[in-house]
Amino acid sequence: MDYKKKINILLAVGIFFLSTSGILIKVASAPPLITAFYRMFFTVLILTPYFLIKHRADARYFLDYRPLLVGFLLAVHFILWISSIQYTDISNSVIFVALQPLFTIILEYLFAREDLKEGAVIGIVMAVIGSSIISIGDFYQLGDKLFGNFLALSAALFASSYLFIGRGVRKKLNYFPYLYILYTYAALFLAVGVYIFEIPFTGYGTNNYLIFLALALGPTIVGHSILNLAVRYLPTSIVSLSILGEPILTTFLAWLLLSEEIRMTTMFGGAFILGGIYLASVYNNHQNRKKERLQQSES
């Protein structure tokens, strides 16, 4: 099995764990900012021993402004998205967050035009159509859920920004130290937010702390870490497109665990999303193979 297939399998695993975050956040009863903080705090706490043993020399990169900026963007993304679930349905939230490829297209058009491939654009359009189809069943709630939907859409913008900007940093810094520094900065920014808004750091009960720990272990350490690894080897647009599989898995988990209804529109929209993911992945692999053959013929 070559490394590209391994990366694609890892990406699928990462998307699954990311899909559990909406369920965990929905059942938590703590304030959104506290949930976001402890998610990052426990993540850093778990990763610190390995960082100190294996990558202590990389601590100098804490002085680089770029990881600091990306950490800030990640912190804002978590705040906005976790808050959105408090105001709107899980399906609405994950659908609007899944629209982040639209922002990725804009960023790549403005700053990295060479990374924007026609096949990926077509796949993203298909996936966005699928996301829209899924949301049709909830359109009657749009007015009441407008604030939550806006928060989720804003979270999509910050998610695309942190992935896009972080791509350049990851090329110059080893994978694990980059993630550790990124998560540490995100935790610090979230802690500052908790302090500014005078929210207590303690007193949220055992169940909530277990949820915080699960968010750290699953969606963050496994999910987001794999996402950051994949974007190092695949175009940002492809990784963002794959994230569109999250609404399908989250909706299924919500039905299985929370007894939420699965609408027919979700099934039709899911077909579009999966079709878009498949189209973009196949086209990207074809382009890479074509490029490799061209380089081999020239050499």
Side-chain angles (χ1 to χ4, degrees):
M1 183 183 298
D2 59 31
Y3 84 94
K4 291 181 182 178
K5 291 183 179 179
K6 292 180 180 178
I7 292 298
N8 287 328
I9 292 174
L10 279 175
L11 183 57
V13 172
I15 297 303
F16 170 78
F17 278 98
L18 282 174
S19 301
T20 65
S21 59
I23 306 299
L24 292 170
I25 291 168
K26 190 68 174 181
V27 298
S29 59
L33 192 53
I34 284 292
T35 302
F37 165 71
Y38 275 108
R39 176 178 183 171
M40 285 290 93
F41 175 75
F42 283 140
T43 298
V44 173
L45 200 64
I46 293 168
L47 297 179
T48 293
Y50 184 78
F51 179 82
L52 293 178
I53 294 172
K54 296 291 186 178
H55 299 280
R56 187 181 306 174
D58 292 316
R60 66 183 185 277
Y61 288 105
F62 273 104
L63 301 178
D64 191 323
Y65 75 93
R66 291 168 299 178
L68 184 147
L69 173 60
V70 177
F72 172 77
L73 294 173
L74 178 61
V76 175
H77 162 71
F78 279 137
I79 294 172
L80 292 172
W81 184 55
I82 292 175
S83 297
S84 74
I85 295 179
Q86 308 298 317
Y87 292 96
T88 191
D89 298 330
I90 296 178
S91 58
N92 271 9
S93 180
V94 295
I95 287 166
F96 280 97
V97 167
L99 293 176
Q100 61 177 277
L102 289 177
F103 298 111
T104 302
I105 289 176
I106 296 173
L107 293 174
E108 291 190 336
Y109 177 78
L110 293 175
F111 303 108
R113 196 182 188 94
E114 68 281 3
D115 289 342
L116 190 57
K117 298 178 176 64
E118 181 182 355
V121 174
I122 296 173
I124 288 173
V125 170
M126 286 183 59
V128 170
I129 291 174
S131 296
S132 300
I133 292 174
I134 292 175
S135 66
I136 287 176
D138 293 323
F139 271 171
Y140 72 94
Q141 295 180 332
L142 191 59
D144 295 334
K145 309 291 184 178
L146 184 60
F147 182 61
N149 295 337
F150 173 75
L151 289 176
L153 190 62
S154 300
L157 171 60
F158 279 92
S160 296
S161 299
Y162 109 79
L163 285 172
F164 182 81
I165 295 175
R167 180 179 58 180
V169 182
R170 285 187 298 274
K171 292 179 180 179
K172 299 180 180 180
L173 182 61
N174 289 332
Y175 170 67
F176 179 83
Y178 166 77
L179 284 181
Y180 180 80
I181 295 171
L182 169 64
Y183 293 157
T184 301
Y185 274 128
L188 289 174
F189 281 119
L190 290 167
V192 171
V194 173
Y195 176 78
I196 290 176
F197 288 99
E198 299 182 348
I199 302 174
F201 279 93
T202 59
Y204 298 101
T206 302
N207 287 340
N208 277 318
Y209 287 109
L210 289 176
I211 292 173
F212 302 154
L213 182 60
L215 284 167
L217 290 172
T220 308
I221 291 180
V222 176
H224 275 271
S225 298
I226 289 177
L227 199 66
N228 280 279
L229 175 64
V231 83
R232 189 172 184 175
Y233 298 97
L234 301 172
T236 307
S237 56
I238 297 296
V239 177
S240 295
L241 181 62
S242 300
I243 297 173
L244 285 170
E246 182 180 350
I248 301 174
L249 291 173
T250 301
T251 300
F252 172 75
L253 291 174
W255 168 78
L256 183 66
L257 302 176
L258 304 179
S259 299
E260 290 193 0
E261 178 185 359
I262 299 180
R263 303 176 184 274
M264 188 64 74
T265 50
T266 300
M267 298 176 62
F268 283 115
F272 267 91
I273 291 174
L274 292 177
I277 293 172
Y278 175 80
L279 174 63
S281 300
V282 169
Y283 182 87
N284 181 63
N285 290 334
H286 174 72
Q287 289 295 102
N288 287 337
R289 288 195 298 268
K290 183 178 178 181
K291 185 177 180 180
E292 290 174 359
R293 287 196 298 266
L294 181 60
Q295 291 174 347
Q296 291 174 359
S297 63
E298 290 178 349
S299 61

